[in-house]
Amino acid sequence: MANEKFDAIVVGAGPAGSAAAYTMAKAGLSVVLLERGEFPGAKNLFGGVLYRKQLEDVLPDQWHKAPVERHIVEQRIWLMGKDSAVTFSHRNEAYKEPYNCWTALRVKFDQWFAAQAEAAGALPIYETVATELITEGDRVVGVRTDREDGDLYADVVVIADGVNSLLGKQLGIHKEWQPDEVSLAVKEIIALPREKIQDRFNLEGDEGVTIEFMGETSLGMAGMGFLYTNKDTLSLGIGVMVNHLKKKKIKPYELLDHVKKHPMIRRLIEGGETKEYSGHLIPEGGWNSVPPLSGNGWCITGDAAQLVNFVHREGSNLAMTSGRMAGEAVIEAKKRGDFSRETLRLYDQKVADSFIRKDLVKYKGMHQILKEEDPELLFNRLPQAVNRAAYEMFLVDGVPKGEKQKKAIQYLKQAAGGTWNLLKMGVKGWRAMNG
């Protein structure tokens, strides 16, 4: 095989890599799918939500066979106080097939997704690390692996090796992470009888709920948590900025233990048994951190390209879409017999014209807010103030409502350091959320 040349080598069998491999193999290209893990999903982690539209775009005939857990009928957002939460949610019984999204477990989904690429004709090579790119001048012509005689050659290498992309670093497009550009997410899979999940989350059949929360649970650090329902397990986790963890000298498992003790969370996971514990870095730089997506003989996709919408906690949908688009660009390059930057730039254009760029550009100012604003204010004092204000407004104690309203507003002003600061923060937040 070392002497054989392929049309494409895909490095990484996560959602981005498998989407690229399937797209190209389906079109008749010779494709190698490399994965460093024992099997796809062995070393991968995500919060746990999978979106139907982007999966259907890749697998229009097989998406409904994916090994998912529950289809989501309700999404909740919680702003956490010390022993309370102000909540916002949307539940809709109109979420019928084809469903908008499901919860899923990567260890199951990634194996299935990679198997679709294999069935389409991709050659899987697992437990193999791509140690470096093989280049001729400024053109990528293959990858060197940790196997004996493990050099592989191809017209194009699609890089999908994750957030710490070693190959991206070799190209010089993936700089070393700064602690304020990446968050560390820790997650537990908690086993709980199916009937208890149904009862505690008010579910029927394979209905599911997602809960995302911020506030006191992150101990004054910039971060968000999540709790997702699976068939007979719960996915519970939280991600916070690495620089804040470092400054506060808090260990990730200590933070997750703190989350589990919050009364809003504790009641939902009570009696459960932790089955898995894992951690994962998440790029938080937004559109400003996205590198060039292609060059002479290469494309870069998914987390490796920092294509993550951290505001909406979306990653798998961007990964599958970018992988598919990279595959489509390589197919066109094959037709033209030209794998240069000029042709592969079609991939960059596809991303630019898609929801990926539009969504990331929309929120491109959010990272700067997280860098500039005091995390204690955004993720502790303000959430606490909102909870105090809500408690005051709902308390029926004979105090006139007008006085209660003034008191509630005062809580918010005090937390922000005055009316002017509160207004400035609101304006900055609005601008950051609108490009």
Side-chain angles (χ1 to χ4, degrees):
M1 188 168 57
N3 297 320
E4 185 177 353
K5 182 180 178 181
F6 299 88
D7 292 321
I9 298 168
V10 180
V11 181
S18 290
Y22 175 85
T23 300
M24 293 184 291
K26 189 73 173 176
L29 275 64
S30 60
V31 181
V32 170
L33 180 58
L34 280 180
E35 167 58 39
R36 66 190 177 97
E38 181 181 355
F39 52 83
K43 295 183 177 294
N44 294 334
L45 168 72
F46 75 153
V49 175
L50 189 68
Y51 298 89
R52 187 262 311 164
K53 175 64 169 65
Q54 287 71 41
L55 179 60
E56 185 179 6
D57 286 344
V58 179
L59 297 168
D61 300 322
Q62 292 119 315
W63 64 269
H64 59 283
K65 299 177 183 178
V68 295
E69 294 291 303
R70 291 176 177 270
H71 62 271
I72 303 305
V73 296
E74 183 177 0
Q75 301 183 58
R76 306 175 189 174
I77 299 174
W78 290 355
L79 192 60
M80 309 289 260
K82 187 173 182 179
D83 54 7
S84 61
V86 172
T87 69
F88 172 81
S89 67
H90 174 66
R91 186 181 183 109
N92 196 330
E93 297 300 325
Y95 285 132
K96 306 293 184 183
E97 291 193 73
Y99 300 116
N100 174 50
C101 57
W102 314 268
T103 52
L105 299 172
R106 285 286 295 273
V107 72
K108 296 179 182 179
F109 176 76
D110 283 12
Q111 290 184 73
W112 175 84
F113 200 16
Q116 308 312 302
E118 183 179 353
L123 174 64
I125 304 178
Y126 302 151
E127 295 185 272
T128 302
V129 177
T131 57
E132 63 179 307
L133 295 166
I134 301 172
T135 59
E136 293 179 358
D138 66 348
R139 180 181 297 275
V140 172
V141 296
V143 298
R144 181 154 292 132
T145 74
D146 60 352
R147 293 192 176 204
E148 187 176 354
D149 296 325
D151 290 359
L152 298 172
Y153 293 87
D155 291 317
V156 179
V157 174
V158 177
I159 301 169
D161 56 347
V163 62
N164 276 323
S165 177
L166 297 177
L167 303 185
K169 290 175 182 177
Q170 181 186 343
L171 286 171
I173 61 170
H174 193 305
K175 66 183 187 305
E176 291 292 336
W177 289 114
Q178 296 302 310
D180 63 355
E181 295 176 327
V182 63
S183 67
L184 176 62
V186 288
K187 172 184 173 181
E188 285 186 2
I189 301 294
I190 301 172
L192 200 66
R194 180 183 177 90
E195 59 272 15
K196 284 190 178 293
I197 294 176
Q198 307 285 80
D199 183 55
R200 291 180 185 180
F201 293 87
N202 190 27
L203 301 172
E204 296 179 350
D206 286 330
E207 293 177 342
V209 169
T210 66
I211 302 173
E212 295 175 333
F213 50 87
M214 62 172 288
E216 195 276 338
T217 38
S218 64
L219 294 174
M221 297 179 286
M224 289 189 67
F226 57 88
L227 178 60
Y228 301 150
T229 57
N230 305 314
K231 289 180 179 177
D232 54 8
T233 63
L234 301 174
S235 296
L236 174 66
I238 187 168
V240 295
M241 299 299 292
V242 169
N243 59 320
H244 296 163
L245 279 172
K246 184 177 179 181
K247 182 178 180 180
K248 292 218 170 200
K249 298 180 179 179
I250 295 175
K251 295 180 174 61
Y253 70 85
E254 295 174 338
L255 181 61
L256 190 54
D257 284 344
H258 174 71
V259 169
K260 292 165 72 174
K261 293 174 183 176
H262 193 283
M264 296 290 291
I265 302 295
R266 176 178 52 78
R267 291 185 177 93
L268 294 175
I269 66 173
E270 188 174 8
E273 179 184 357
T274 299
K275 292 295 186 180
E276 297 178 25
Y277 176 88
S278 52
H280 184 65
L281 290 175
I282 301 174
E284 302 277 4
W287 181 253
N288 295 326
S289 295
V290 174
L293 298 178
S294 64
N296 291 324
W298 62 269
C299 300
I300 189 166
T301 63
D303 278 11
Q306 304 175 51
L307 298 176
V308 173
N309 183 342
F310 71 91
V311 176
H312 287 268
R313 318 312 296 176
E314 293 179 12
S316 63
N317 54 334
L318 280 71
M320 287 187 286
T321 299
S322 64
R324 172 178 61 81
M325 291 177 171
E328 291 169 349
V330 175
I331 293 168
E332 181 61 28
K334 174 70 174 179
K335 291 178 181 177
R336 299 183 188 181
D338 177 15
F339 300 92
S340 69
R341 178 183 294 109
E342 283 67 31
T343 299
L344 292 177
R345 192 174 288 151
L346 173 64
Y347 165 49
D348 301 59
Q349 191 58 52
K350 284 175 174 286
V351 171
D353 292 340
S354 74
F355 76 94
I356 296 177
R357 179 185 178 277
K358 293 179 174 66
D359 286 354
L360 294 184
V361 168
K362 174 178 171 59
Y363 298 118
K364 67 180 181 180
M366 287 300 296
H367 177 67
Q368 196 63 29
I369 286 224
L370 295 179
K371 288 180 67 173
E372 294 176 353
E373 294 294 336
D374 179 8
E376 284 282 351
L377 170 60
L378 294 179
F379 294 88
N380 188 10
R381 295 200 300 273
L382 272 177
Q384 296 278 17
V386 171
N387 275 270
R388 288 182 68 193
Y391 175 80
E392 186 66 40
M393 292 305 298
F394 285 112
L395 181 65
V396 179
D397 57 358
V399 176
K401 303 304 182 188
E403 292 183 26
K404 283 182 167 293
Q405 181 176 319
K406 291 179 182 178
K407 195 172 183 179
I409 293 173
Q410 191 62 31
Y411 289 148
L412 299 176
K413 290 180 180 179
Q414 288 174 350
T419 304
W420 180 238
N421 284 340
L422 187 62
L423 290 173
K424 282 198 302 183
M425 192 183 321
V427 171
K428 286 177 68 175
W430 174 260
R431 288 176 176 170
M433 297 282 279
N434 289 277

